[in-house]
């Protein structure tokens, strides 16, 4: 993933703003702490760059000692309003939302006795 300084100046500004304004606090022992920019959503980022950045972030997550805990926390936060986009626990926001939908459907079937 290119450093934000390699991005066009408008995207550099957006990347730096996203990093400063992110409400997400990575785990203290998370492997992500050294490369936080990879984990943040950058509005108007070209799709090819976004996919590459997300793949790089997921590779970092895959070797992280706190992946399971981080993923559990990310999935719990996905149900909250205003959940930040970006990679958390090795999953993109879209992936986390899909898992949350499946869990809700599965929970509804269990409650109905299926």
């Amino acid at each position: 993933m290119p450093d934000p300084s390699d991005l066009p100046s408008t995207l550099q500004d957006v990347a730096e703003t996203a990093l400063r304004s992110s409400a997400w606090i990575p785990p203290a022992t998370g492997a992500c702490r050294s490369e936080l920019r990879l984990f943040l959503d950058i509005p108007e980022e070209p799709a090819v760059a976004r996919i590459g950045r997300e793949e790089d972030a997921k590779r970092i997550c895959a070797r992280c000692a706190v992946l399971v805990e981080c993923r559990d926390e990310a999935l719990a936060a996905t149900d909250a309003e205003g959940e930040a986009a970006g990679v958390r626990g090795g999953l993109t926001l879209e992936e986390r939302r899909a898992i949350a939908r499946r869990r809700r459907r599965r929970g509804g079937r269990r409650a109905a006795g299926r």
Side-chain angles (χ1 to χ4, degrees):
M1 168 64 191
D3 187 273
S5 62
D6 296 337
L7 296 170
S9 61
T10 55
L11 286 181
Q12 283 179 35
D13 294 341
V14 170
E16 292 301 323
T17 300
L19 186 59
R20 284 191 304 274
S21 66
S22 175
W24 175 63
I25 300 172
T29 58
C32 57
R33 292 185 77 83
S34 65
E35 297 289 336
L36 285 178
R37 287 181 178 91
L38 295 177
F39 294 84
L40 300 173
D41 185 51
I42 301 173
E44 300 179 31
E45 179 180 32
V48 172
R50 179 184 50 79
I51 292 167
R53 178 182 49 74
E54 289 172 348
E55 288 174 355
D56 290 345
K58 288 179 177 188
R59 275 193 284 280
I60 292 171
C61 286
R63 69 172 196 258
C64 184
V66 294
L67 172 63
V68 173
E69 295 87 352
C70 185
R71 181 172 288 172
D72 288 344
E73 188 176 306
L75 289 169
T78 299
D79 290 330
E81 279 297 311
E83 163 62 6
V87 175
R88 308 285 183 271
L91 301 169
T92 64
L93 178 58
E94 294 78 19
E95 292 166 336
R96 295 190 309 269
R97 285 180 175 165
I99 290 169
R101 281 191 302 272
R102 284 192 302 268
R103 286 180 174 179
R104 282 192 300 271
R105 282 194 305 264
R106 205 175 315 137
R109 284 189 289 238
R110 285 186 189 140
R114 295 181 190 166

